[in-house]
Amino acid sequence: MSDQTTPILAARAVGMRFQGLHALSDVTIELPHGSITGLIGPNGAGKTTLVNVLSGLAVPTSGQVLRHGKPVRRWGISRAAGEGVARTFQGSTVFTEFDVRRNLEIAALHARRPVQVSHIIDMLELGHRAHVLAGELSFGELRRLGVAIALATGPEVALLDEPGAGLTGTDLDLLSDVIRRIRDSGTAVLLVDHNMRFLMSTVERVVVLEGGQVIAQGAPDEIQRDERVLAAYLGRSTHA
Protein backbone atom coordinates (compact mmCIF):
# COMPACT_ATOMS: atom_id res chain seq x y z
CA MET A 1 0.00 0.00 0.00
CA SER A 2 1.47 3.37 -0.99
CA ASP A 3 1.54 6.46 1.21
CA GLN A 4 -0.90 9.33 1.05
CA THR A 5 1.41 11.40 -1.16
CA THR A 6 1.12 8.92 -4.05
CA PRO A 7 -1.91 9.54 -6.32
CA ILE A 8 -4.56 6.86 -6.01
CA LEU A 9 -5.07 6.82 -9.78
CA ALA A 10 -3.09 8.40 -12.60
CA ALA A 11 -2.65 8.35 -16.35
CA ARG A 12 0.88 8.68 -17.71
CA ALA A 13 1.47 9.80 -21.30
CA VAL A 14 -1.79 8.13 -22.34
CA GLY A 15 -2.69 8.07 -26.00
CA MET A 16 -5.81 6.78 -27.71
CA ARG A 17 -6.16 6.34 -31.44
CA PHE A 18 -9.32 5.45 -33.34
CA GLN A 19 -8.71 4.51 -36.98
CA GLY A 20 -5.86 6.98 -37.27
CA LEU A 21 -7.58 9.72 -35.26
CA HIS A 22 -5.77 10.76 -32.09
CA ALA A 23 -8.51 11.13 -29.47
CA LEU A 24 -5.85 11.49 -26.76
CA SER A 25 -2.17 12.36 -27.12
CA ASP A 26 0.38 12.13 -24.31
CA VAL A 27 -2.15 12.89 -21.54
CA THR A 28 -0.92 12.85 -17.95
CA ILE A 29 -3.27 13.39 -15.01
CA GLU A 30 -3.10 12.53 -11.30
CA LEU A 31 -5.92 12.01 -8.81
CA PRO A 32 -4.49 12.37 -5.27
CA HIS A 33 -6.09 11.16 -2.05
CA GLY A 34 -8.90 13.36 -0.80
CA SER A 35 -8.86 15.75 -3.75
CA ILE A 36 -11.31 17.14 -6.29
CA THR A 37 -9.96 17.56 -9.81
CA GLY A 38 -12.01 19.17 -12.57
CA LEU A 39 -11.73 18.08 -16.20
CA ILE A 40 -12.90 20.56 -18.84
CA GLY A 41 -12.57 21.20 -22.55
CA PRO A 42 -14.67 21.96 -25.61
CA ASN A 43 -16.83 19.27 -27.19
CA GLY A 44 -14.63 16.64 -28.81
CA ALA A 45 -11.64 17.50 -26.61
CA GLY A 46 -11.31 13.92 -25.35
CA LYS A 47 -12.86 14.21 -21.89
CA THR A 48 -15.12 11.17 -22.19
CA THR A 49 -12.33 9.13 -23.77
CA LEU A 50 -10.04 9.95 -20.84
CA VAL A 51 -12.73 9.01 -18.31
CA ASN A 52 -13.27 5.78 -20.25
CA VAL A 53 -9.57 5.00 -19.94
CA LEU A 54 -9.42 5.77 -16.23
CA SER A 55 -12.54 3.70 -15.54
CA GLY A 56 -11.33 0.71 -17.54
CA LEU A 57 -13.99 1.05 -20.23
CA ALA A 58 -11.27 1.69 -22.84
CA VAL A 59 -7.69 0.46 -23.11
CA PRO A 60 -5.20 3.15 -24.18
CA THR A 61 -3.13 2.53 -27.28
CA SER A 62 -0.09 4.06 -25.57
CA GLY A 63 0.94 5.15 -22.11
CA GLN A 64 -0.10 3.67 -18.78
CA VAL A 65 -2.73 3.78 -16.07
CA LEU A 66 -1.21 3.70 -12.60
CA ARG A 67 -2.87 2.78 -9.32
CA HIS A 68 -1.02 3.84 -6.19
CA GLY A 69 1.98 4.62 -8.38
CA LYS A 70 2.22 1.19 -9.98
CA PRO A 71 1.31 0.43 -13.62
CA VAL A 72 -1.75 -1.78 -13.92
CA ARG A 73 -2.04 -4.57 -16.46
CA ARG A 74 -5.17 -5.85 -18.16
CA TRP A 75 -7.04 -2.76 -17.00
CA GLY A 76 -10.74 -3.23 -17.69
CA ILE A 77 -13.97 -2.00 -16.18
CA SER A 78 -14.35 -5.03 -13.89
CA ARG A 79 -10.74 -4.78 -12.75
CA ALA A 80 -11.08 -1.02 -12.21
CA ALA A 81 -14.25 -1.47 -10.14
CA GLY A 82 -12.53 -4.17 -8.10
CA GLU A 83 -9.63 -1.81 -7.50
CA GLY A 84 -11.88 0.91 -6.14
CA VAL A 85 -12.68 3.05 -9.19
CA ALA A 86 -16.37 4.02 -9.43
CA ARG A 87 -17.90 5.95 -12.30
CA THR A 88 -21.19 7.70 -12.91
CA PHE A 89 -22.53 8.15 -16.42
CA GLN A 90 -24.33 11.15 -17.92
CA GLY A 91 -27.55 9.18 -17.75
CA SER A 92 -27.66 7.71 -14.25
CA THR A 93 -29.06 4.18 -14.09
CA VAL A 94 -31.23 3.42 -11.09
CA PHE A 95 -33.86 0.81 -10.26
CA THR A 96 -36.96 2.99 -10.39
CA GLU A 97 -39.15 0.27 -8.85
CA PHE A 98 -37.01 0.18 -5.67
CA ASP A 99 -36.65 2.83 -3.00
CA VAL A 100 -33.47 4.81 -2.41
CA ARG A 101 -32.16 2.55 0.34
CA ARG A 102 -32.71 -0.63 -1.69
CA ASN A 103 -30.88 0.89 -4.67
CA LEU A 104 -27.86 1.46 -2.46
CA GLU A 105 -28.10 -1.95 -0.82
CA ILE A 106 -27.98 -3.57 -4.26
CA ALA A 107 -24.90 -1.52 -5.20
CA ALA A 108 -23.28 -2.38 -1.86
CA LEU A 109 -23.47 -6.09 -2.72
CA HIS A 110 -20.53 -5.38 -5.02
CA ALA A 111 -18.59 -3.19 -2.57
CA ARG A 112 -14.86 -3.84 -2.32
CA ARG A 113 -14.88 -2.85 1.34
CA PRO A 114 -17.57 -2.50 4.05
CA VAL A 115 -19.88 0.47 3.49
CA GLN A 116 -22.59 2.02 5.62
CA VAL A 117 -25.60 2.63 3.42
CA SER A 118 -27.18 4.90 6.01
CA HIS A 119 -24.07 7.07 6.09
CA ILE A 120 -24.09 7.44 2.30
CA ILE A 121 -27.78 8.31 2.31
CA ASP A 122 -27.16 11.02 4.91
CA MET A 123 -24.04 12.33 3.14
CA LEU A 124 -26.03 12.76 -0.08
CA GLU A 125 -28.87 14.40 1.89
CA LEU A 126 -31.37 11.74 0.89
CA GLY A 127 -32.28 10.64 4.40
CA HIS A 128 -35.81 12.02 4.21
CA ARG A 129 -36.28 10.16 0.89
CA ALA A 130 -34.72 6.83 1.89
CA HIS A 131 -37.99 4.91 1.54
CA VAL A 132 -39.29 6.74 -1.52
CA LEU A 133 -39.28 4.87 -4.84
CA ALA A 134 -36.49 6.10 -7.11
CA GLY A 135 -39.05 6.69 -9.84
CA GLU A 136 -40.72 9.30 -7.65
CA LEU A 137 -37.61 11.36 -6.93
CA SER A 138 -37.03 14.83 -8.33
CA PHE A 139 -34.43 15.28 -11.07
CA GLY A 140 -31.90 16.68 -8.61
CA GLU A 141 -32.49 13.81 -6.19
CA LEU A 142 -32.01 11.31 -9.00
CA ARG A 143 -28.66 12.91 -9.82
CA ARG A 144 -27.58 12.58 -6.20
CA LEU A 145 -28.83 8.99 -6.08
CA GLY A 146 -26.63 8.18 -9.08
CA VAL A 147 -23.61 9.50 -7.16
CA ALA A 148 -24.73 7.61 -4.04
CA ILE A 149 -24.91 4.34 -5.97
CA ALA A 150 -21.31 4.82 -7.10
CA LEU A 151 -20.22 5.50 -3.51
CA ALA A 152 -22.03 2.38 -2.27
CA THR A 153 -19.39 0.28 -4.02
CA GLY A 154 -16.80 1.59 -1.53
CA PRO A 155 -14.51 3.32 -4.06
CA GLU A 156 -11.22 5.10 -3.54
CA VAL A 157 -11.83 7.13 -6.70
CA ALA A 158 -15.13 8.55 -7.99
CA LEU A 159 -15.28 9.63 -11.63
CA LEU A 160 -18.32 11.90 -11.91
CA ASP A 161 -19.41 12.45 -15.51
CA GLU A 162 -21.74 15.45 -15.82
CA PRO A 163 -23.48 14.99 -12.44
CA GLY A 164 -24.78 18.58 -12.64
CA ALA A 165 -26.34 18.25 -16.10
CA GLY A 166 -29.79 19.81 -16.08
CA LEU A 167 -29.50 21.10 -12.51
CA THR A 168 -29.81 24.72 -11.43
CA GLY A 169 -29.80 26.87 -8.31
CA THR A 170 -30.05 25.10 -4.97
CA ASP A 171 -29.72 21.64 -6.56
CA LEU A 172 -26.29 22.60 -7.91
CA ASP A 173 -25.24 24.17 -4.60
CA LEU A 174 -26.27 21.00 -2.77
CA LEU A 175 -24.41 18.80 -5.24
CA SER A 176 -21.29 20.93 -4.79
CA ASP A 177 -21.51 20.45 -1.02
CA VAL A 178 -22.00 16.71 -1.49
CA ILE A 179 -18.89 16.41 -3.68
CA ARG A 180 -16.82 18.21 -1.05
CA ARG A 181 -18.10 15.76 1.57
CA ILE A 182 -17.00 12.88 -0.66
CA ARG A 183 -13.55 14.50 -0.84
CA ASP A 184 -13.46 14.94 2.93
CA SER A 185 -14.17 11.22 3.36
CA GLY A 186 -10.81 10.52 1.64
CA THR A 187 -12.12 9.64 -1.81
CA ALA A 188 -10.42 11.18 -4.84
CA VAL A 189 -12.93 12.83 -7.17
CA LEU A 190 -12.68 13.64 -10.88
CA LEU A 191 -15.48 16.00 -11.88
CA VAL A 192 -16.47 16.49 -15.52
CA ASP A 193 -19.15 19.10 -16.11
CA HIS A 194 -20.04 21.75 -18.67
CA ASN A 195 -21.30 24.19 -16.05
CA MET A 196 -18.19 26.25 -15.44
CA ARG A 197 -19.48 28.19 -12.47
CA PHE A 198 -20.45 24.97 -10.70
CA LEU A 199 -17.21 23.19 -11.54
CA MET A 200 -14.85 26.07 -10.74
CA SER A 201 -16.51 26.66 -7.37
CA THR A 202 -16.27 22.97 -6.43
CA VAL A 203 -12.83 21.73 -7.52
CA GLU A 204 -9.33 22.42 -6.23
CA ARG A 205 -7.47 21.82 -9.47
CA VAL A 206 -8.48 21.90 -13.12
CA VAL A 207 -7.12 19.97 -16.10
CA VAL A 208 -7.97 21.39 -19.52
CA LEU A 209 -8.11 19.25 -22.65
CA GLU A 210 -8.19 20.50 -26.23
CA GLY A 211 -7.80 18.28 -29.26
CA GLY A 212 -6.93 15.32 -27.02
CA GLN A 213 -4.04 17.13 -25.34
CA VAL A 214 -3.61 18.78 -21.96
CA ILE A 215 -3.17 22.51 -22.61
CA ALA A 216 -3.30 23.70 -19.00
CA GLN A 217 -3.43 22.51 -15.39
CA GLY A 218 -3.80 24.58 -12.26
CA ALA A 219 -6.02 26.13 -9.63
CA PRO A 220 -9.43 27.40 -10.82
CA ASP A 221 -8.45 31.08 -10.62
CA GLU A 222 -5.29 30.43 -12.62
CA ILE A 223 -7.16 28.49 -15.29
CA GLN A 224 -9.77 31.22 -15.68
CA ARG A 225 -6.98 33.71 -16.46
CA ASP A 226 -5.05 31.42 -18.81
CA GLU A 227 -5.12 32.86 -22.34
CA ARG A 228 -4.90 29.42 -23.95
CA VAL A 229 -7.94 28.28 -22.00
CA LEU A 230 -9.87 31.45 -22.73
CA ALA A 231 -9.20 30.99 -26.43
CA ALA A 232 -10.02 27.28 -26.43
CA TYR A 233 -13.06 27.13 -24.22
CA LEU A 234 -13.88 29.43 -21.36
CA GLY A 235 -14.20 32.57 -23.40
CA ARG A 236 -17.00 30.97 -25.40
CA SER A 237 -18.98 29.62 -22.49
CA THR A 238 -18.61 31.40 -19.17
CA HIS A 239 -20.89 34.24 -20.20
CA ALA A 240 -23.49 32.04 -21.90
Side-chain angles (χ1 to χ4, degrees), residues 2-3 5-12 28-35 37 50-56 64-72 75 79-81 83-87 156-159 188-190:
S2 62
D3 61 40
T5 64
T6 302
I8 298 177
L9 191 67
R12 287 283 186 274
T28 293
I29 184 174
E30 296 182 346
L31 303 180
H33 291 258
S35 65
T37 302
L50 179 56
V51 174
N52 286 346
V53 168
L54 291 172
S55 65
Q64 295 177 317
V65 174
L66 293 85
R67 181 178 175 274
H68 293 295
K70 297 180 179 179
V72 292
W75 192 242
R79 171 76 183 273
E83 296 286 351
V85 180
R87 175 188 178 171
E156 289 187 306
V157 178
L159 309 176
V189 178
L190 179 67

Side-chain angles (χ1 to χ4, degrees), residues 1 8-9 31-35 54-55 67-68 75 77-88 104 107-117 119-120 123-124 145-160 179 181-190:
M1 186 80 172
I8 298 177
L9 191 67
L31 303 180
H33 291 258
S35 65
L54 291 172
S55 65
R67 181 178 175 274
H68 293 295
W75 192 242
I77 194 163
S78 295
R79 171 76 183 273
E83 296 286 351
V85 180
R87 175 188 178 171
T88 66
L104 297 192
L109 293 174
H110 306 284
R112 58 182 296 275
R113 56 185 177 181
V115 298
Q116 294 183 336
V117 168
H119 174 69
I120 295 172
M123 184 166 62
L124 276 290
L145 177 56
V147 174
I149 288 171
L151 294 182
T153 64
E156 289 187 306
V157 178
L159 309 176
L160 307 183
I179 292 171
R181 289 176 203 160
I182 295 170
R183 179 268 319 276
D184 292 343
S185 73
T187 300
V189 178
L190 179 67

Side-chain angles (χ1 to χ4, degrees), residues 11-22:
R12 287 283 186 274
V14 160
M16 178 65 76
R17 181 183 298 179
F18 298 106
Q19 297 179 343
L21 173 67
H22 288 275

Side-chain angles (χ1 to χ4, degrees), residues 86-150:
R87 175 188 178 171
T88 66
F89 291 85
Q90 293 184 27
S92 296
T93 300
V94 302
F95 294 104
T96 57
E97 68 274 24
F98 295 140
D99 65 20
V100 167
R101 177 176 289 277
R102 185 56 180 154
N103 267 273
L104 297 192
E105 288 172 345
I106 292 170
L109 293 174
H110 306 284
R112 58 182 296 275
R113 56 185 177 181
V115 298
Q116 294 183 336
V117 168
S118 294
H119 174 69
I120 295 172
I121 289 174
D122 290 340
M123 184 166 62
L124 276 290
E125 297 202 12
L126 291 168
H128 65 299
R129 308 289 274 170
H131 298 293
V132 173
L133 296 180
E136 298 177 4
L137 298 178
S138 70
F139 187 70
E141 290 167 341
L142 275 174
R143 285 291 183 182
R144 297 205 305 279
L145 177 56
V147 174
I149 288 171

